[in-house]
Amino acid sequence: MAAMRTGWLLVRHEVRLLASLALWVARRTHGTGGGRAFGYAGGQGAMMAGFGFVCLVETVAMSVLLRDWPTVHAAVLFLDLYTIVFVVALHASSVVRPHVLDADRGSLRIRRYVHVDLCVPLERIASVRRELRMTHERAEGELDVEVGSQTSITLVLTEPVTHVTFLGRRHAVRVVRFHADDADGLVRALGRARV
């Protein structure tokens, strides 16, 4: 039962990544609605491009090395090409799934790729501050939504919100750290929305 559930979660993850790739090509976003979007992909674009380039070089190298073994070559080529698609789709998901501040609904939606999607009611925010952190230690009741190993905004909540992990585990969090490309703008917008 647990294996089937995990398999279903992995399939759903792949479908959501490929849907993000389609949205990226169409220059659309996911779930922004009437809210204001704040991106976080800018800080990792070069890293993802570099990773994609390394995967491409590996694909070419493996094709040369395995040219005398056609069956193995075909299998490895498929996996290598899928890895390149996966890397591009991962970056696409960070572009099309930004953080969303929706003052009308009274919520801040914090996201990263298709892995994290946390909705924080504005009335539960006790304080918000601009705080650049490059190192993060795990702590009970805290969630670090890192992008490029950094966070730039810290939210302290009056009462916990539930974060559901990739595999469906639930955690109550009272402190949320995340990154936004325009961290100052998001902090100011949150201050206005909370008033």
Side-chain angles (χ1 to χ4, degrees), residues 12-13 15-17 19-20 23 28-32 37-40 91-100 109-117:
R12 185 181 77 164
H13 175 264
V15 168
R16 292 170 75 192
L17 275 179
S20 295
L23 286 171
R28 301 185 62 133
T29 58
H30 173 271
T32 52
F38 289 89
Y40 55 87
H91 178 66
S93 70
S94 69
V95 173
V96 304
R97 294 171 181 270
H99 306 307
V100 181
R109 193 172 181 185
I110 299 169
R111 304 195 282 185
R112 187 180 81 193
Y113 308 125
V114 295
H115 307 123
V116 176
D117 194 343

Side-chain angles (χ1 to χ4, degrees), residues 19-117:
S20 295
L21 186 58
L23 286 171
W24 190 47
V25 170
R27 295 181 182 261
R28 301 185 62 133
T29 58
H30 173 271
T32 52
R36 182 172 169 196
F38 289 89
Y40 55 87
Q44 68 180 13
M47 179 187 70
M48 295 300 279
F51 190 55
F53 178 73
V54 168
C55 291
L56 181 63
V57 168
E58 188 229 356
T59 300
V60 172
M62 291 305 289
S63 290
V64 170
L65 290 172
L66 297 174
R67 67 180 175 264
D68 294 334
W69 296 282
T71 304
V72 176
H73 175 259
V76 171
L77 180 63
F78 172 79
L79 292 173
D80 282 344
L81 291 176
Y82 188 76
T83 300
I84 293 171
V85 170
F86 182 85
V87 169
V88 173
L90 197 60
H91 178 66
S93 70
S94 69
V95 173
V96 304
R97 294 171 181 270
H99 306 307
V100 181
L101 174 60
D102 194 335
D104 294 336
R105 290 187 178 173
S107 67
L108 172 65
R109 193 172 181 185
I110 299 169
R111 304 195 282 185
R112 187 180 81 193
Y113 308 125
V114 295
H115 307 123
V116 176
D117 194 343

Side-chain angles (χ1 to χ4, degrees), residues 47 85 136 161 170 176:
M47 179 187 70
V85 170
H136 303 86
V161 294
R170 296 180 172 275
V176 182

